[in-house]
Amino acid sequence: MIVVVALIVLLPFAAAAAGLLATRLGTRNLGARSEPTAYRRAAWFAIVPAAVSAALTVWLAAALAGGAGGAGGAGASERRFWSELLPGRVEGTLTVVETGSVPISLTLRADGLSVLAGILVVVVALAVQVYSVGYMRDEPRYPSYSAFVSLFTSAMLLVVYAGDLIVLYVGWEIMGLCSYLLIGHWWEDRANSRAAVKAFLVTRLGDVGFLFGIFVLGSAAGGFRIDDVLRADIPRGTLVVATLLLLAGVAGKSAQVPLQTWLPDAMAGPTPISALIHAATMVAAGIFVVARLYPAFLAAPPTLDVLGVVAAVGMLGAALAALAQDDLKRVLAYSTISQLAYMAAALAAGSDRAAMFHLVSHGAFKALLFLCAGLVIHHVGSNLISHMGGLRRALPVTFWTMTIGFAALAGLPPASGFFSKDAVISAVEHGTGPAQPFVYASALLTVGVTGAYAARAWLRTFFGPARIEPLAEPPPGVAHVFDGREAPRSMLWPAGVLAVPSLLLGLAGSAAGSAAGVEVEWGPAAVSLAVALLGAGIVYALWRAAPEQDPARLLGPFRAPCERAFYVDAAYAALIARPVLRLARGVARTDARVVDGAVRGSGRATLGLSGLVRLAQNGNAQLYVTGLLAGLVLIAVAAVVLT
């Protein structure tokens, strides 16, 4: 069965290799047909392996549900509903690399946690690949784009199924490379390339701490196998240091405070990539790693306290920023930061069950929202909400599917977000850390703000006066312009399919939680629902009073700080970026003027000295004889004078 796990990981990798190397093979003699042929090949290379990987993942889930491969293994507990759903487990080691100190084992493992995350990854990746066929139509770089999406998928699956921390880190870093390549897909525009570089550098900054955290855990446990690390008797101080270092990488990948600034700018990439990053790969990886190593984090309470404070600040700040944005994709981007902070808060409160439940639920409805945003942008030709309005009749399929997504985001029943957010709120309410009151208050406030910005985006996009302005040419980052109809079926079907789990997954997850002895707490659920409806109701009242005006005006003088995300980027630029650039310029000038100047000066001195020597060695015999006679005269005079 471990071969199936390996195939799930390797099939997208093989698709990436084929997409990069074989799409244009033999097309040089096809003339005008070469591009369509390469496009079709790339589409097949992208979709078929993703579909097979998804089918194998479903088969693996069914096998583990039947207990195949043995019991759930070390670290399983009654809190983890996936151990009830999928009690089986398989693990296999290809080889052990002896390093002279701590060995590295090339190990894959599949258990309930990894298969749940794996299902999310392959389903969203398959939806994105199918959707991209229509969205990236006539895009000349589509073959490389689809190949990088496949590589991205394979890297995340490696993180999910890794049984060794070093193997996990390999997938972790490949994802960083893929995000750089895909965010900067339209690299001709400087803003896009800068966004890609920013995402790469900010996440790499966190990854430095993440790598050192892995080294600390591996050294203390005597090995990097995840089971060995979780079984090892590691001193508490060492665990605190290691988990805090890991938290730096988690903050980078999952865009949490203080490394959250890259994610909104990453919207410069194609919209399907935004869906993949926000729902199933980069940002989900950080939360997954904490859940995978959760026993180590539970043994380090100070780390969970830090995580709780970070989550409380991030969830409310990002929600307020989302309320003030005019770019639809940036609304969803800040929403992702806020929702990931919910998951982090659940982990800080001691409930990996609630965090993973919300991770899977959020992955479904956030992928749906981004794909629907792409449908709207495809129709309107602009990312700005102020250019939209009155689209519910022109885009009926998009309207209903995006309505489901917004309902799940706001936590309205019976959408999946209602149940998963209730699990998070309940977990935070029952938390015991010193930061629990702060986190709980922030979570409830965020529920209200989430309802407000979800209602604002929904109303401004689909209701009110139509503000469509057809564009002659799309700006960078927009694949198509207004054509007066719904998008192609290849774009509509993935959105329609994702609408099903966005609507029903919460009911299934709630039933699974009940089977594991975890009931829905209707008291906190009613409170959070009332707060969400209050936020949405205030926005609706403002919109109803003046449909042509933006309900974000309720923020008053605070709108500008919220729109600029509280000037965190400006502060980083002033305190870090510009001083580092000035230092770099100073070092460059010192190198050019002092170091290189000394080298060039020594060269000039040597040339000058050689010129003087050359004057005496010019081949003129008369000069030589004159010099000889002058020397003899000087010697004779010196001899007479001195004697």
Side-chain angles (χ1 to χ4, degrees):
M1 192 178 294
I2 196 63
V3 175
V4 174
V5 179
L7 284 174
I8 292 171
V9 176
L10 290 176
L11 279 172
F13 180 82
L20 289 173
L21 301 176
T23 52
R24 300 184 186 277
L25 195 65
T27 61
R28 293 184 178 180
N29 297 325
L30 295 180
R33 293 181 298 162
S34 61
E35 286 298 328
T37 300
Y39 185 93
R40 285 193 297 271
R41 285 185 185 176
W44 284 110
F45 287 150
I47 294 173
V48 172
V52 175
S53 185
L56 290 175
T57 303
V58 172
W59 180 86
L60 180 63
L64 294 187
S77 69
E78 66 277 5
R79 291 190 315 275
R80 300 181 171 193
F81 73 96
W82 52 79
S83 62
E84 298 288 339
L85 287 174
L86 306 171
R89 174 184 171 182
V90 294
E91 183 170 346
T93 300
L94 176 62
T95 186
V96 176
V97 179
E98 296 295 340
T99 64
S101 56
V102 182
I104 301 171
S105 60
L106 303 183
T107 302
L108 295 177
R109 60 179 284 177
D111 57 12
L113 174 62
S114 58
V115 171
L116 280 178
I119 290 174
L120 173 65
V121 173
V122 295
V123 169
V124 173
L126 179 58
V128 166
Q129 291 284 27
V130 174
Y131 182 95
S132 297
V133 171
Y135 191 86
M136 303 296 286
R137 186 179 67 245
D138 302 327
E139 168 64 36
R141 291 197 295 269
Y142 171 75
S144 62
Y145 162 90
S146 62
F148 292 143
V149 171
S150 296
L151 184 60
F152 209 163
T153 305
S154 179
M156 181 59 186
L157 289 172
L158 185 60
V159 170
V160 166
Y161 291 110
D164 186 277
L165 290 175
I166 298 297
V167 176
L168 183 150
Y169 186 73
V170 171
W172 184 274
E173 287 300 324
I174 293 175
M175 278 197 296
L177 172 63
C178 292
S179 68
Y180 168 76
L181 295 170
L182 289 168
I183 293 170
H185 177 75
W186 286 304
W187 51 265
E188 297 88 348
D189 184 79
R190 184 170 176 79
N192 292 0
S193 61
R194 288 173 67 90
V197 171
K198 182 178 181 179
F200 187 80
L201 292 179
V202 173
T203 54
R204 294 293 74 68
L205 180 64
D207 289 351
V208 173
F210 190 80
L211 180 59
F212 278 102
I214 288 175
F215 286 158
V216 172
L217 283 179
S219 299
F224 292 107
R225 285 185 70 250
I226 292 175
D227 281 349
D228 294 342
V229 169
L230 298 182
R231 289 194 190 103
D233 185 15
I234 301 175
R236 180 172 173 176
T238 303
L239 274 178
V240 171
V241 171
T243 50
L244 283 174
L245 288 169
L246 291 175
L247 209 57
V250 170
K253 275 290 190 290
S254 291
Q256 295 298 289
V257 175
L259 301 178
Q260 80 283 5
T261 57
W262 68 270
L263 192 59
D265 289 349
M267 298 304 94
T271 301
I273 297 309
S274 301
L276 190 64
I277 291 176
H278 287 249
T281 53
M282 285 273 285
V283 298
I287 301 300
F288 173 83
V289 166
V290 176
R292 169 59 77 200
L293 300 174
Y294 201 53
F297 281 85
L298 284 177
T303 302
L304 293 182
D305 293 337
V306 172
L307 182 60
V309 173
V310 166
V313 173
M315 68 172 71
L316 183 56
L320 289 170
L323 182 58
Q325 302 301 310
D326 190 38
D327 188 317
L328 180 58
K329 289 174 67 176
R330 290 180 76 89
V331 171
L332 299 179
Y334 282 110
S335 166
T336 297
I337 298 173
S338 182
Q339 296 301 306
L340 289 166
Y342 267 120
M343 304 169 206
L347 291 167
S351 178
D352 51 351
R353 179 198 73 86
M356 286 304 299
F357 185 12
H358 197 49
L359 176 68
V360 175
S361 169
H362 172 265
F365 69 72
K366 187 52 64 68
L368 171 63
L369 283 171
F370 268 108
L371 296 188
C372 288
L375 294 172
V376 172
I377 293 167
H378 176 278
H379 182 84
V380 176
S382 173
N383 291 8
L384 302 182
I385 297 175
S386 56
H387 292 170
M388 302 172 188
L391 296 177
R392 68 186 186 280
R393 292 187 178 88
L395 305 175
V397 176
T398 304
F399 168 68
W400 286 110
T401 52
M402 203 167 190
T403 298
I404 292 172
F406 277 128
L409 174 61
L412 304 181
S416 62
F418 170 75
F419 296 94
S420 60
K421 191 174 292 185
D422 165 64
V424 171
I425 297 295
S426 298
V428 172
E429 183 181 12
H430 297 309
T432 57
Q436 186 271 340
F438 174 54
V439 179
Y440 182 61
S442 180
L444 282 182
L445 287 173
T446 304
V447 169
V449 180
T450 302
Y453 71 71
R456 169 181 174 262
W458 182 64
L459 291 170
R460 294 271 290 167
T461 301
F462 295 107
F463 296 87
R467 294 179 289 271
I468 294 178
E469 299 177 6
L471 304 176
E473 290 292 336
V478 178
H480 297 283
V481 296
F482 169 76
D483 57 8
R485 62 179 186 275
E486 284 269 23
R489 291 184 179 180
S490 62
M491 296 170 65
L492 289 175
W493 273 106
V497 170
L498 286 173
V500 176
S502 298
L503 183 62
L504 303 178
L505 187 61
L507 293 170
S510 179
S514 299
V518 182
E519 299 290 341
V520 175
E521 297 191 25
W522 294 107
V527 171
S528 63
L529 177 59
V531 174
L533 290 175
L534 177 63
I538 292 173
V539 166
Y540 177 76
L542 288 171
W543 174 84
R544 185 73 175 175
E548 71 283 354
Q549 297 184 28
D550 192 343
R553 65 185 185 277
L554 69 89
L555 292 170
F558 296 104
R559 180 172 183 178
C562 291
E563 191 172 8
R564 296 288 300 277
F566 306 101
Y567 305 105
V568 174
D569 261 323
Y572 285 171
L575 299 176
I576 299 175
R578 284 197 288 270
V580 169
L581 286 174
R582 283 196 293 267
L583 178 61
R585 293 190 188 103
V587 171
R589 284 195 297 268
T590 301
D591 180 66
R593 297 178 182 179
V594 178
V595 179
D596 288 352
V599 173
R600 288 192 294 266
S602 63
R604 285 193 295 267
T606 302
L607 288 173
L609 182 61
S610 67
L612 293 175
V613 173
R614 188 170 63 248
L615 292 176
Q617 298 291 332
N618 58 6
N620 189 334
Q622 292 178 344
L623 182 61
Y624 296 163
V625 172
T626 302
L628 177 62
L629 292 175
L632 288 174
V633 171
L634 289 175
I635 293 172
V637 172
V640 171
V641 172
L642 294 177
T643 58

